[in-house]
Every structure is written in structure tokens, then in C-alpha cells.
Amino acid sequence: QVLLSESGGGSVQAGGSLRLSCVVSGVPVSNKCMGWFRQAPGQDRERVADINRLGTTTYADSVKGRYSISRDNAKNTLYLQMNSLKPEDTATYYCAAASNWLCSASFRDWGQGTQVTVSS
């Protein structure tokens, strides 16, 4: 059974930073494509960043240059460093594991989410 548990969300003023963590059990984070998604009320879920088995990362245009995804294989944990936060970054953030190491694969295992609120 794959379990993902996010933490690190909170409230911050615009321009601030947060680091989200996602502790994973049941699968090595190094073997899968791992991703961070977000969803704001009334909006579609958006993939903000992912990292594949080779360590290749991709980012949504809306966060490029501000967010950084990384992983600690020893801790089996995924991270999302978020800098220069904007009010439009406000959302519930989810980590997820894809079905294989390719980030084109479907994401089938999800965490419960952590809320990020950015005030102006």
C-alpha cells in the first residue's frame, strides 16, 4: 500500500516562502515519477512540478523560477520549495506518485493535501 502524507502548508504574506514535505511509504520515491499538484476552490487541479526517476524536473509556467521540487531518497520524502509566493498560489497542495517512472504516466496515489494561503 502506498501512503503519502504532506505537511508544511500554512499562511504567509506575498513574497514569502514555504517548504512542503511529503513522506512516502510503500514505494521508493526514486523509482517513480513524483509530482506536486494544487487545486484552488472552483478551479481545475494543476500539476505544478514533477520529478522522474532520473531526477529530471518539470514545472508549470506559473511557478517556473519560483518553485523547486526535490527528493531525499534516504528519507523517502518529496519536497516543494516555494519562494516569492503570490496570492494566486493559494490552494490545497497534493503530492502524488505516478504508476511508473515516466511523468507521462497517470498519477494514482495521492496524499490528503496541505493548505497554502498567501495574503497580499
Short mmCIF file of all heavy atoms in Angstrom, two decimals, residues 10-12 19 26 31 40 42 58 65-66 68-69 80 86 95 107 111 117:
data_model
loop_
_atom_site.label_atom_id
_atom_site.label_comp_id
_atom_site.label_asym_id
_atom_site.label_seq_id
_atom_site.Cartn_x
_atom_site.Cartn_y
_atom_site.Cartn_z
N GLY A 10 0.57 26.42 5.20
CA GLY A 10 0.29 27.45 6.18
C GLY A 10 -0.08 28.75 5.50
O GLY A 10 -0.36 28.78 4.30
N SER A 11 -0.09 29.79 6.30
CA SER A 11 -0.42 31.12 5.81
C SER A 11 0.84 31.97 5.77
O SER A 11 1.63 31.97 6.72
CB SER A 11 -1.46 31.78 6.72
OG SER A 11 -2.67 31.05 6.70
N VAL A 12 1.02 32.69 4.69
CA VAL A 12 2.20 33.52 4.50
C VAL A 12 1.83 34.76 3.70
O VAL A 12 0.85 34.73 2.94
CB VAL A 12 3.30 32.70 3.79
CG1 VAL A 12 2.86 32.31 2.39
CG2 VAL A 12 4.63 33.41 3.79
N ARG A 19 8.11 25.59 2.55
CA ARG A 19 8.59 24.31 2.01
C ARG A 19 7.62 23.21 2.41
O ARG A 19 7.38 22.99 3.60
CB ARG A 19 9.99 23.98 2.50
CG ARG A 19 10.55 22.75 1.79
CD ARG A 19 11.98 22.43 2.17
NE ARG A 19 12.06 21.66 3.41
CZ ARG A 19 13.06 20.83 3.70
NH1 ARG A 19 14.04 20.64 2.83
NH2 ARG A 19 13.08 20.20 4.85
N GLY A 26 5.71 2.68 1.14
CA GLY A 26 5.17 1.69 0.23
C GLY A 26 5.79 1.67 -1.14
O GLY A 26 5.57 0.72 -1.90
N ASN A 31 12.02 5.57 -7.52
CA ASN A 31 11.60 4.66 -8.58
C ASN A 31 10.44 5.16 -9.42
O ASN A 31 10.15 4.59 -10.47
CB ASN A 31 11.19 3.30 -7.99
CG ASN A 31 12.40 2.46 -7.62
OD1 ASN A 31 13.52 2.92 -7.71
ND2 ASN A 31 12.15 1.23 -7.21
N ALA A 40 -7.30 25.08 -6.33
CA ALA A 40 -7.98 26.17 -5.65
C ALA A 40 -9.48 25.97 -5.80
O ALA A 40 -9.94 25.32 -6.76
CB ALA A 40 -7.55 27.51 -6.23
N GLY A 42 -13.08 25.96 -6.94
CA GLY A 42 -13.69 26.31 -8.20
C GLY A 42 -12.79 26.20 -9.41
O GLY A 42 -13.21 26.55 -10.52
N THR A 58 10.21 19.09 -14.12
CA THR A 58 9.45 20.00 -14.97
C THR A 58 8.55 20.84 -14.07
O THR A 58 8.16 20.41 -12.98
CB THR A 58 8.60 19.25 -16.02
OG1 THR A 58 7.70 18.38 -15.35
CG2 THR A 58 9.47 18.46 -16.97
N GLY A 65 10.80 29.15 -11.93
CA GLY A 65 11.70 30.14 -11.37
C GLY A 65 11.42 30.49 -9.92
O GLY A 65 12.24 31.14 -9.27
N ARG A 66 10.28 30.04 -9.42
CA ARG A 66 9.92 30.32 -8.02
C ARG A 66 9.84 29.06 -7.16
O ARG A 66 10.12 29.11 -5.97
CB ARG A 66 8.56 31.04 -7.95
CG ARG A 66 8.54 32.36 -8.69
CD ARG A 66 7.24 33.11 -8.44
NE ARG A 66 6.07 32.38 -8.92
CZ ARG A 66 5.04 32.01 -8.15
NH1 ARG A 66 5.06 32.27 -6.85
NH2 ARG A 66 4.00 31.37 -8.68
N SER A 68 10.74 24.86 -6.50
CA SER A 68 11.76 23.85 -6.77
C SER A 68 11.33 22.53 -6.13
O SER A 68 11.07 22.47 -4.92
CB SER A 68 13.11 24.29 -6.20
OG SER A 68 14.09 23.29 -6.42
N ILE A 69 11.28 21.48 -6.94
CA ILE A 69 10.93 20.16 -6.45
C ILE A 69 12.21 19.37 -6.22
O ILE A 69 13.17 19.47 -7.00
CB ILE A 69 9.99 19.43 -7.44
CG1 ILE A 69 9.47 18.11 -6.85
CG2 ILE A 69 10.66 19.22 -8.79
CD1 ILE A 69 8.38 17.45 -7.71
N LEU A 80 8.75 20.43 -1.88
CA LEU A 80 8.46 21.51 -2.80
C LEU A 80 8.82 22.81 -2.10
O LEU A 80 8.16 23.21 -1.14
CB LEU A 80 6.99 21.52 -3.22
CG LEU A 80 6.64 22.57 -4.28
CD1 LEU A 80 7.29 22.21 -5.62
CD2 LEU A 80 5.13 22.70 -4.45
N LYS A 86 2.76 34.24 -4.28
CA LYS A 86 1.77 35.22 -4.71
C LYS A 86 0.39 34.80 -4.21
O LYS A 86 0.15 33.61 -3.98
CB LYS A 86 1.75 35.29 -6.24
CG LYS A 86 3.09 35.57 -6.88
CD LYS A 86 2.99 35.50 -8.40
CE LYS A 86 4.33 35.77 -9.07
NZ LYS A 86 4.23 35.71 -10.55
N CYS A 95 0.72 15.93 -2.99
CA CYS A 95 1.76 15.18 -3.64
C CYS A 95 1.16 13.88 -4.17
O CYS A 95 0.14 13.40 -3.65
CB CYS A 95 2.94 14.89 -2.72
SG CYS A 95 2.59 13.81 -1.33
N PHE A 107 -1.14 9.47 -12.46
CA PHE A 107 -0.85 9.55 -11.03
C PHE A 107 -1.99 8.86 -10.30
O PHE A 107 -3.15 9.28 -10.40
CB PHE A 107 -0.71 11.01 -10.59
CG PHE A 107 0.59 11.62 -11.02
CD1 PHE A 107 0.77 12.06 -12.32
CD2 PHE A 107 1.65 11.73 -10.14
CE1 PHE A 107 1.98 12.61 -12.73
CE2 PHE A 107 2.86 12.29 -10.53
CZ PHE A 107 3.02 12.72 -11.83
N GLY A 111 -1.74 12.07 -1.68
CA GLY A 111 -1.82 12.46 -0.29
C GLY A 111 -3.12 13.15 0.01
O GLY A 111 -3.96 13.36 -0.88
N THR A 117 -2.01 29.33 1.97
CA THR A 117 -2.75 30.58 1.82
C THR A 117 -1.76 31.73 1.79
O THR A 117 -0.96 31.88 2.71
CB THR A 117 -3.75 30.77 2.96
OG1 THR A 117 -4.64 29.66 3.00
CG2 THR A 117 -4.55 32.05 2.76
#
